Amino acid sequence: EVARTCERYAVRRLPFGRLEDGDVAFFERLMPGRVLSGEEEVKPFNVDWLKSVRGCSQLVLKPRTTAEVSQVLRYCHERNLAVNPQGGNTGLVGGSVPVFDEIILSTALMNEIISFDKVSGILVCQAGCVLERLNEFVEERGFVMPLDLGAKGSCHIGGNVATNAGGLRLLRYGSLRGTVLGLEVVLADGSALDCLTSLRKDNTGYDLKQLFIGSEGTLGVITAVSILCPQKPKAVNVAFLGCQSFAKVLETFTTCRAMLGEILSAFEFMDEKCMELVESHLKLSSPVADSPFYVLIETSGSNSTHDEEKLNNFLEQAVASGLVTDGTVATDDKKIKAKPLGLYGFLCSSIPQVLWSLRERITEALTHEGYVYKYDISLPVEKLYHLVTDIRARLGPSAKNVVGYGHLGDGNLHLNITAESYSHSLLEAIEPFVYEWTARCSGSVSAEHGLGFKKKQFIGYSKPRRAVLLMQQLKAMLDPKGILNPYKTLPSAP
């Protein structure tokens, strides 16, 4: 796809230096045993998780320290060698792999936890720490990470911050722009910027860390993160419900937010096509059958009796008013229970993780469908599913499946269109229609996945020309040679 997209948008290799034997020798002296140059060794780092984009890097570097990253970038800056920072390589927009022959700078070995304050809940760690490992670490100390993603088993916290990943806990804990307290970043010329504060209040000058959160590795390489972790909730409940229309989903959300208030931690939705794919490709079983829409609600709080009472009152209201037709509930104590659900049946027990897997593994199920066109959109909540129905009508039988799911509580739709294989004519039927539709609703063409390589040319649908120009000026100031993750995030500067 990279070759096709390069041709379509006239992307050509910029005049960076070419890798020479002397360069490899320098890096091998700097970090012996942590330089990969064999074709088979490098191959996995050149391909994204979706296997939809592929670069042709000849070198992977694995530093362990910020000092090593500084030396690498200082050398690359002097030699005009382009660099592709890479974390867990779980991105979905082609931002984490090279486009041409950029050197891959992997943070995989930068995985040390530096400190944790058990009073404030502030964690300081290197950028290569895997999110799931961090969550396990802080959970043992009575806290949780403020973000949760389907890719938590392999994504790195540095990559999460670099893409401003949203995920499943944003409704409760907000975005990384609020929970990240400080960063350590190495700039393009190799100079290290130490803004690794652990203060919740620091109103001295410009908040420089915000430049790098969501910058997708184009302004600097994040090497360490200071992040505020909330206390682990003592009581967690998950409800998985069926709704007969998207209008009912919206009413359920309104009722849910009003009745659950401070304990509501997630509100996810998916359509019946999503559930069909999860069941057929992953052999997972839905506890709720034959529903056009499904809703997953999570509550988390400090008092199980209080939380269960609030959840039960909400469910009784939802059933009595016809918003919900069937459902199941799970509690974190994993006890086998059965509770009546009004006149519509009963709530049967289940483990929360089992219910969450029905939502979290949709992306995985889609990969079994062939080629996937993925769109990550923010829209006014009342219009969220209209885009799915409009795209479905527009494409008709030319698409294998058109599905919609996402974080309803955040107004974030994941629109996915599948086909047996890549089709240029199908792509032209989707783009720029999907972005024009989004722009008309004052939405965002990238809610949480970033722009990367695949979406950078569409930034103008969400940001005014003056804003894009200012971004390009910031890029030119911080990375005058343009060596950091080139061809990504921003359109070429005029």
Side-chain angles (χ1 to χ4, degrees):
E1 185 188 334
V2 164
R4 286 189 291 263
T5 308
C6 285
E7 182 178 354
R8 183 182 182 196
Y9 298 107
V11 178
R12 299 289 183 266
R13 185 186 186 278
L14 295 173
F16 297 115
R18 300 278 183 178
L19 193 66
E20 298 176 358
D21 291 342
D23 302 323
V24 179
F26 170 82
F27 294 128
E28 287 178 339
R29 288 194 301 271
L30 177 64
M31 52 186 81
R34 291 178 282 127
V35 176
L36 309 181
S37 57
E39 184 178 345
E40 289 303 310
E41 288 181 308
V42 174
K43 188 176 180 180
F45 297 87
N46 267 311
V47 185
D48 75 326
W49 182 78
L50 290 172
K51 295 181 172 56
S52 64
V53 290
R54 184 187 304 270
C56 51
S57 177
Q58 303 166 46
L59 195 69
V60 177
L61 307 178
K62 289 188 167 185
R64 283 201 179 104
T65 66
T66 299
E68 287 179 343
V69 175
S70 291
Q71 289 176 278
V72 167
L73 289 186
R74 187 178 301 115
Y75 183 88
C76 290
H77 188 261
E78 291 171 356
R79 284 275 294 114
N80 197 34
L81 297 169
V83 178
N84 182 100
Q86 187 178 101
N89 196 16
T90 59
L92 301 177
V93 290
S96 58
V97 295
V99 176
F100 295 103
D101 57 347
E102 300 90 273
I103 294 171
I104 297 172
L105 182 63
S106 170
T107 59
L109 299 183
M110 301 185 71
N111 56 9
E112 290 188 7
I113 294 172
I114 299 169
S115 66
F116 181 72
D117 188 319
K118 62 182 181 181
V119 176
S120 65
I122 295 171
L123 171 74
V124 182
C125 63
Q126 286 187 301
C129 291
V130 174
L131 178 59
E132 189 169 46
R133 182 194 164 217
L134 290 178
N135 199 63
E136 290 169 353
F137 176 87
V138 298
E139 271 199 348
E140 291 172 359
R141 290 152 180 82
F143 293 80
V144 294
M145 292 298 288
L147 74 159
D148 186 18
L149 308 170
K152 59 192 168 189
S154 50
C155 66
H156 295 181
I157 188 63
N160 299 150
V161 174
T163 56
N164 191 28
L168 305 166
R169 290 177 177 163
L170 192 141
L171 178 63
R172 178 66 174 270
Y173 301 121
S175 78
L176 289 172
R177 293 195 179 279
T179 55
V180 170
L181 302 179
L183 294 175
E184 180 184 68
V185 182
V186 178
L187 303 180
D189 63 359
S191 58
L193 178 65
D194 185 358
C195 292
L196 200 60
T197 179
S198 294
L199 300 174
R200 292 194 65 179
K201 286 187 173 183
D202 182 9
N203 202 18
T204 50
Y206 303 130
D207 190 0
L208 295 178
K209 71 176 182 291
Q210 297 295 345
L211 280 176
F212 303 98
I213 299 174
S215 67
E216 302 186 66
T218 62
L219 300 181
V221 177
I222 295 171
T223 54
V225 178
S226 171
I227 189 167
L228 179 65
C229 300
Q231 284 194 303
K232 180 182 178 181
K234 296 179 180 178
V236 176
N237 298 287
V238 178
F240 193 84
L241 312 172
C243 295
Q244 290 301 305
S245 68
F246 189 69
K248 297 289 187 185
V249 171
L250 292 177
E251 288 185 65
T252 301
F253 175 55
T254 302
T255 305
C256 176
R257 190 168 50 180
M259 296 187 68
L260 298 182
E262 77 288 351
I263 66 170
L264 178 63
S265 53
F267 193 103
E268 304 285 309
F269 92 98
M270 62 218 79
D271 62 21
E272 61 183 337
K273 287 289 184 182
C274 291
M275 197 54 55
E276 289 174 10
L277 296 179
V278 167
E279 290 182 321
S280 62
H281 293 306
L282 306 181
K283 309 306 177 187
L284 299 179
S285 179
S286 171
V288 179
D290 303 323
S291 212
F293 292 91
Y294 300 89
V295 167
L296 186 148
I297 297 167
E298 182 188 78
T299 66
S300 53
S302 59
N303 186 313
S304 58
T305 302
H306 167 269
D307 293 0
E308 284 187 30
E309 182 180 356
K310 292 192 77 166
L311 180 59
N312 289 338
N313 289 340
F314 158 71
L315 292 172
E316 290 175 7
Q317 172 69 22
V319 170
S321 58
L323 299 180
V324 172
T325 55
D326 196 4
T328 185
V329 71
T331 60
D332 57 351
D333 60 12
K334 301 179 184 178
K335 292 179 181 177
I336 302 300
K337 298 179 181 179
K339 301 177 182 178
L341 182 56
L343 302 175
Y344 293 87
F346 58 87
L347 281 168
C348 56
S349 72
S350 189
I351 299 173
Q353 290 84 347
V354 173
L355 295 182
W356 265 115
S357 67
L358 295 171
R359 162 62 182 87
E360 288 182 315
R361 297 184 67 187
I362 294 172
T363 299
E364 179 187 350
L366 285 161
T367 63
H368 295 274
E369 278 287 283
Y371 189 84
V372 187
Y373 302 84
K374 305 185 75 67
Y375 299 92
D376 164 47
I377 307 294
S378 276
L379 289 166
V381 176
E382 67 275 8
K383 299 178 180 178
L384 204 64
Y385 200 74
H386 296 177
L387 177 57
V388 181
T389 55
D390 282 1
I391 285 285
R392 194 174 283 155
R394 177 180 174 85
L395 300 182
S398 62
K400 189 175 178 182
N401 270 306
V402 177
V403 306
Y405 65 97
H407 318 295
L408 187 80
D410 311 323
N412 182 186
L413 169 71
H414 294 309
L415 168 68
N416 288 256
I417 299 148
T418 66
E420 291 293 344
S421 59
Y422 173 83
S423 165
H424 187 68
S425 60
L426 181 56
L427 178 63
E428 289 194 322
I430 301 169
E431 299 177 9
F433 175 84
V434 66
Y435 299 120
E436 292 170 344
W437 198 102
T438 301
R440 285 196 299 271
C441 295
S442 300
S444 169
V445 301
S446 176
E448 62 178 1
H449 291 168
L451 295 167
F453 177 73
K454 292 182 178 180
K455 312 297 181 186
K456 69 169 190 172
Q457 68 273 15
F458 300 114
I459 189 172
Y461 286 97
S462 294
K463 292 291 186 288
R465 184 175 176 276
R466 184 71 188 109
V468 176
L469 178 60
L470 184 57
M471 293 180 199
Q472 291 167 331
Q473 290 170 336
L474 286 168
K475 167 71 172 174
M477 181 184 71
L478 292 174
D479 182 15
K481 292 187 176 182
I483 66 169
L484 285 179
N485 219 11
Y487 323 106
K488 314 286 178 60
T489 305
L490 297 177
S492 300

